[in-house]
Amino acid sequence: MTGVVLNNVMKRYGDVQVIHGIDLEVDDGEFCVFVGPSGCGKSTLLRMVAGLEETTQGAIHIGARDVTGMDPSERGVAMVFQNYALYPHMSVAQNMGFGLKMTGHPRQVIEEKIAEASRILKLDPYLDRKPKALSGGQRQRVAIGRAIVRGPDVFLFDEPLSNLDAELRVEMRVEIARLHKEIGATMIYVTHDQTEAMTLADKIVVLRDGHIEQVGKPMDLYHDPDNRFVAGFIGSPSMNFLDGTVAGGEIEVPGLARRVALPVTLPEEGHGILFGLRPEHAELDPAGESHVVELTEALGGVSYAYLTAPGGERLIVEERGDFRTPAGTRVGVRFPVEKAYLFDAGTGLRIR
Ligand code: ADP
Ligand code: MG
């Protein structure tokens, strides 16, 4: 049993509190992703699990052990950083084996473990090279190999792909997913990139300002966000949000130039609402003329039409197939009402 459990975990730097009472369970063997905008506390929380930052208050368990006050080396974790942190004067093999050498493991054991990690990460051709003779992707594989060699209960990754170019990032993402499948260890992975979170995670933890906004499986967060923040963060392009008001048991949405009736319990007449509609759930209605197509971005398989409503409100609608509505065209916007989301304009909480 090597899950990770956080109980009311807090971090303060002097008077500034950056982590506000986090409760979380990461199951044994789970791939858990902490995602959120820059500065929300992802690295701090991960480093607290690693023991690189002291926990101001609360408790951290790894498996059955309370590790809250333990040194990093006693926790059974291995961390992979964005900047690789390799020793430049050591070869790939020496970099991977260094930790075990320092803890006095026999040479033969170290060599076996390096061979195993090298096989998993396809590093055999590079074992004698120095880091400077490797590409960014290869360096990051060595850093991951160094973690594998240590045989940790829990792998911790802090934005490991952020220094790679876009193509390599996708490639390494797939490799990390494969690695998790092959070794099955518990992994906690920090990223600001919602695509990485969606594609890698069994469980996503969305963080903002040191608080958890929502925890769930990727598709649950996409289909059933609890609040405006999660709805806007998960999904690309982002969900459209239009101001609305409760009027006569319906929602008046000027940005759609219409009222919408939804099967939810609405607040009182006149209450402010945010109306949420994903670009992929809406379509252009050639028979309508409420909106103007300002421009379209064609990506090949799909394109995005940027619309302006009569009052200047903006929204993005996805178009599929080969036809692209030209800029300047007047259109309407159609969508299945069950695909629309409502949020309280004041609290941002979902109205269901
Ligand atoms: P993220 O990894 O999500 O970008 P961090 O965990 O690095 O965010 O930082 C969270 C917050 O904690 C930020 O507001 C940052 O400025 C603050 N912070 C991080 N380290 C320190 C420190 N040593 N002293 C004071 N504030 C810090
Ligand atoms: Mg960070």
Side-chain angles (χ1 to χ4, degrees):
M1 270 296 292
T2 49
V4 178
V5 179
L6 309 186
N7 288 117
N8 196 26
V9 163
M10 300 185 194
K11 179 70 183 178
R12 272 188 291 271
Y13 291 109
D15 291 344
V16 185
Q17 183 154 0
V18 298
I19 299 291
H20 301 265
I22 298 285
D23 290 304
L24 178 68
E25 286 187 25
V26 181
D27 297 334
D28 187 22
E30 194 166 47
F31 200 117
C32 177
V33 175
F34 296 172
V35 71
S38 179
C40 71
K42 305 179 294 292
S43 295
T44 304
L45 195 56
L46 192 75
R47 293 168 62 83
M48 288 161 78
V49 174
L52 300 172
E53 293 283 351
E54 208 174 291
T55 298
T56 310
Q57 203 173 311
I60 300 174
H61 283 79
I62 296 179
R65 299 186 306 150
D66 183 341
V67 301
T68 316
M70 284 186 191
D71 280 346
S73 61
E74 300 171 328
R75 295 191 180 204
V77 303
M79 188 143 161
V80 177
F81 300 91
Q82 176 176 346
N83 62 8
Y84 322 131
L86 300 176
Y87 298 108
H89 59 286
M90 291 185 195
S91 69
V92 166
Q94 287 167 333
N95 262 288
M96 290 202 287
F98 186 66
L100 293 185
K101 197 171 159 194
M102 291 309 285
T103 46
H105 285 70
R107 188 196 189 117
Q108 194 196 338
V109 171
I110 298 175
E111 280 173 3
E112 279 167 14
K113 288 186 184 288
I114 291 172
E116 169 72 358
S118 174
R119 180 191 62 75
I120 292 172
L121 294 163
K122 302 190 183 66
L123 283 170
D124 288 348
Y126 312 108
L127 285 174
D128 295 327
R129 287 202 200 168
K130 299 274 167 62
K132 70 172 186 305
L134 300 174
S135 71
Q138 289 163 345
R139 285 179 205 172
Q140 192 52 289
R141 293 222 299 274
V142 177
I144 294 169
R146 189 175 48 188
I148 293 174
V149 161
R150 294 178 49 199
D153 295 328
V154 181
F155 285 79
L156 305 174
F157 296 90
D158 192 352
E159 310 243 12
L161 308 186
S162 295
N163 282 4
L164 306 177
D165 64 43
E167 196 179 338
L168 210 48
R169 212 151 52 216
V170 174
E171 211 173 283
M172 282 300 292
R173 197 171 80 203
V174 174
E175 275 195 42
I176 289 177
R178 198 180 293 137
L179 174 72
H180 179 246
K181 241 191 204 118
E182 175 157 359
I183 62 183
T186 308
M187 296 187 176
I188 305 180
Y189 185 104
V190 161
T191 179
H192 64 274
D193 182 321
Q194 66 93 27
T195 309
E196 271 177 35
M198 290 297 279
T199 52
L200 285 170
D202 298 314
K203 177 186 280 173
I204 296 181
V205 179
V206 182
L207 292 167
R208 176 166 65 151
D209 295 342
H211 295 274
I212 291 181
E213 289 283 323
Q214 192 171 354
V215 177
K217 293 184 187 134
M219 282 306 143
D220 291 345
L221 296 194
Y222 174 83
H223 288 296
D224 200 13
D226 282 343
N227 54 58
R228 184 221 182 277
F229 182 80
V230 173
F233 197 82
I234 303 289
S236 175
S238 227
M239 185 182 282
N240 295 294
F241 295 101
L242 296 167
D243 291 329
T245 321
V246 179
E250 298 183 330
I251 316 290
E252 175 77 43
V253 189
L256 293 171
R258 59 175 276 205
R259 286 189 176 191
V260 187
L262 284 165
V264 301
T265 310
L266 288 175
E268 75 283 0
E269 186 78 5
H271 195 93
I273 297 283
L274 276 179
F275 181 92
L277 182 61
R278 294 197 185 276
E280 59 272 34
H281 292 156
E283 59 181 8
L284 301 182
D285 176 5
E289 48 184 41
S290 49
H291 293 69
V292 178
V293 178
E294 295 289 343
L295 82 125
T296 54
E297 268 179 358
L299 302 182
V302 299
S303 69
Y304 298 106
Y306 289 71
L307 310 186
T308 312
E313 302 89 347
R314 298 235 159 105
L315 70 160
I316 302 178
V317 173
E318 184 181 304
E319 278 194 292
R320 268 141 295 185
D322 284 339
F323 180 74
R324 305 286 180 245
T325 306
T329 311
R330 299 198 72 91
V331 295
V333 176
R334 272 196 307 234
F335 56 91
V337 285
E338 69 275 12
K339 295 287 194 189
Y341 296 84
L342 295 186
F343 305 90
D344 187 296
T347 63
L349 293 177
R350 176 95 173 274
I351 299 169
R352 297 172 201 267

